[in-house]
Amino acid sequence: MNHTKGGLVIFTANSHPSSRELGKRIAERLGVELGKVQVYQEANRETRVQIQESVRGKDVFVIQTVSKDVNTTIMELLIMVYACRTSCARSITGVLPYFPYSKQCKMRKRGSIVSKLIASMMCKAGLTHLITMDLHQKEIQGFFNIPVDNLRASPFLLQYIQEEIPDYRNAVIVAKSPASAKRAQSFAERLRLGLAVIHGEAQDAESDQVDGRHSPPTVKTTGAIHPSMEIPLLIPKEKPPITVVGDVGGRIAIIVDDIIDDVDSFVAAAENLKERGAYKIFVMATHGLLSSEAPRFIEESAIDEVVVTNTIPHELQKLQCPKIKTVDISMILSEAIRRIHNGESMSYLFRNIGVDD
């Protein structure tokens, strides 16, 4: 049954078959057929897009999931959006469940804020609206000059905990670093469970210590300032020994985060929780990038189960590691598309979501 008004076209921008699965699920829920389009790579690796039906005066929704080749993924989206724009589409909404380059949203040494660049490119190509899910930093919404709806996957993950973990009442929600404590606290408060935080782990690439803006000159120079003035240097951080703040003994430990890519930190956290008496360990995240040797590391680790959503295709990783489970979030994406197309309020999809969620 069609649940939308007329004038709706849904395209999937991926040339990779496994990445089109989410688009098919969304189209089925809306009761529409996917739009006809060809996306492929030329012999010289250039991306070519050919839209094979009229989009004049229609609301176009372009669904793009991130494949292993993230740069090709971005070009496919940009070229398709521009093709719809030049074909006189009334509106063009990008549906990117996982926003690529979202970790590069802060200045690092002499690098750049790549998320801002990607946002500018999407707006310039012709996007009029963006639907995404669990941005790595919510401030990324400010990089766009178009409306951005940052949906949440937490209701689906919370439902999984309640339905698939029989003794979840004996669980404790764990933040693998202080940086993810707010997300863990949100889960703990909604499930009425305890909270634990792992502190003192090896710093990752997003620590303040590698920010670069504190880098002093190699020698003391006083030519540019008054000789009597000396700028005080910031005391360098010293990582304390790894500690777990909170009781996990004889409990189920559920580690929550937004992205699981390089699993080294999750594996180290699981080992520490096992040493402190946790008898079962789950890892839950919205985006399962699971790059490189992640499936093998998970299979060989103390982690009992990794639960991620289908914002990113990971069927191959599931074949390599039976511990990986998937939660379908096509329902909320299809409802967001329906509401935007029909001009309805989006507030229903953000009910009970606070500023820190």
Side-chain angles (χ1 to χ4, degrees):
M1 180 180 175
N2 193 319
H3 299 285
T4 64
K5 299 176 182 177
L8 168 68
V9 181
I10 296 178
F11 290 125
T12 57
N14 281 113
S15 57
H16 197 278
S18 66
S19 299
R20 292 197 289 266
E21 184 60 34
L22 181 60
K24 291 178 182 177
R25 288 173 179 263
I26 292 173
E28 287 175 4
R29 289 184 180 276
L30 291 172
V32 299
E33 296 287 335
L34 284 176
K36 297 179 177 64
V37 63
Q38 274 191 327
V39 183
Y40 58 94
Q41 307 296 318
E42 298 277 16
N44 62 358
R45 303 299 298 163
E46 287 185 1
T47 299
R48 185 174 290 272
V49 174
Q50 292 182 341
I51 296 175
Q52 299 177 320
E53 63 179 84
S54 174
V55 296
R56 183 179 294 272
K58 296 182 179 180
D59 294 331
V60 176
F61 292 82
V62 181
I63 300 170
Q64 180 69 313
T65 53
V66 176
S67 63
K68 191 172 183 181
D69 188 350
V70 64
N71 295 323
T72 298
T73 296
I74 293 170
M75 286 307 300
E76 287 174 347
L77 175 67
L78 295 176
I79 294 171
M80 179 170 286
V81 168
Y82 189 64
C84 294
R85 175 186 174 185
T86 55
S87 298
C88 301
R90 182 172 67 178
S91 66
I92 308 168
T93 301
V95 183
L96 279 84
Y98 171 68
F99 187 75
Y101 286 95
S102 60
K103 285 189 174 182
Q104 298 189 48
C105 59
K106 296 179 181 178
M107 181 63 74
R108 303 298 180 201
K109 293 188 178 178
R110 294 164 185 85
S112 60
I113 305 176
V114 184
S115 292
K116 170 62 175 175
L117 172 64
I118 300 298
S120 299
M121 290 166 65
M122 290 179 180
C123 295
K124 190 69 175 178
L127 271 189
T128 59
H129 201 132
L130 178 69
I131 300 172
T132 187
M133 181 166 281
D134 282 335
L135 286 169
H136 186 57
Q137 297 288 342
K138 291 188 287 293
E139 291 78 9
I140 293 175
Q141 295 176 83
F143 295 161
F144 291 85
N145 54 16
I146 58 174
V148 177
D149 287 311
N150 181 28
L151 303 176
R152 305 296 195 276
S154 53
F156 298 91
L157 297 175
L158 291 168
Q159 184 181 39
Y160 184 94
I161 293 173
Q162 293 172 316
E163 295 180 356
E164 302 298 329
I165 305 178
D167 47 351
Y168 81 93
R169 287 293 180 189
N170 188 38
V172 59
I173 304 299
V174 180
K176 70 178 180 67
S177 68
S180 56
K182 281 187 177 180
R183 173 180 290 268
Q185 181 182 0
S186 175
F187 273 65
E189 289 176 352
R190 282 172 165 77
L191 293 169
R192 278 59 170 177
L193 298 176
L195 176 68
V197 180
I198 298 176
H199 181 54
E201 64 180 343
Q203 290 193 329
D204 56 22
E206 293 192 291
S207 65
D208 293 334
Q209 202 163 7
V210 297
D211 194 293
R213 286 172 289 185
H214 68 284
S215 55
T218 55
V219 295
K220 189 179 294 186
T221 57
T222 57
I225 58 176
H226 194 276
S228 63
M229 295 176 62
E230 185 173 342
I231 300 174
L233 297 180
L234 189 64
I235 299 172
K237 293 181 179 179
E238 183 176 339
K239 296 189 291 289
I242 294 177
T243 57
V244 178
V245 182
D247 181 23
V248 297
R251 314 281 287 277
I252 298 173
I254 304 175
I255 305 172
V256 298
D257 212 334
D258 62 330
I259 299 171
I260 176 168
D261 186 6
D262 180 6
V263 298
D264 290 347
S265 59
F266 291 93
V267 170
E271 291 174 355
N272 277 283
L273 293 170
K274 275 287 187 185
E275 291 173 1
R276 286 162 175 77
Y279 71 89
K280 209 166 187 180
I281 299 171
F282 291 79
V283 174
M284 312 202 79
T286 302
H287 310 295
L289 274 69
L290 303 170
S291 303
S292 189
E293 296 293 314
R296 181 173 65 83
F297 293 151
I298 292 171
E299 186 65 26
E300 297 172 355
S301 72
I303 298 171
D304 292 284
E305 195 168 287
V306 173
V307 183
V308 292
T309 71
N310 57 344
T311 55
I312 298 171
H314 49 261
E315 294 307 314
L316 179 60
Q317 289 90 331
K318 289 177 69 176
L319 293 175
Q320 297 172 338
C321 178
K323 292 182 179 180
I324 301 172
K325 308 296 181 184
T326 306
V327 175
D328 181 26
I329 44 81
S330 61
M331 180 187 298
I332 193 170
L333 293 175
S334 59
E335 180 62 13
I337 291 173
R338 189 192 68 80
R339 287 175 175 270
I340 290 172
H341 174 62
N342 293 342
E344 299 177 18
S345 171
M346 293 285 285
S347 60
Y348 177 78
L349 302 181
F350 294 96
R351 64 195 186 283
N352 298 328
I353 293 178
V355 176
D356 295 330
D357 290 330

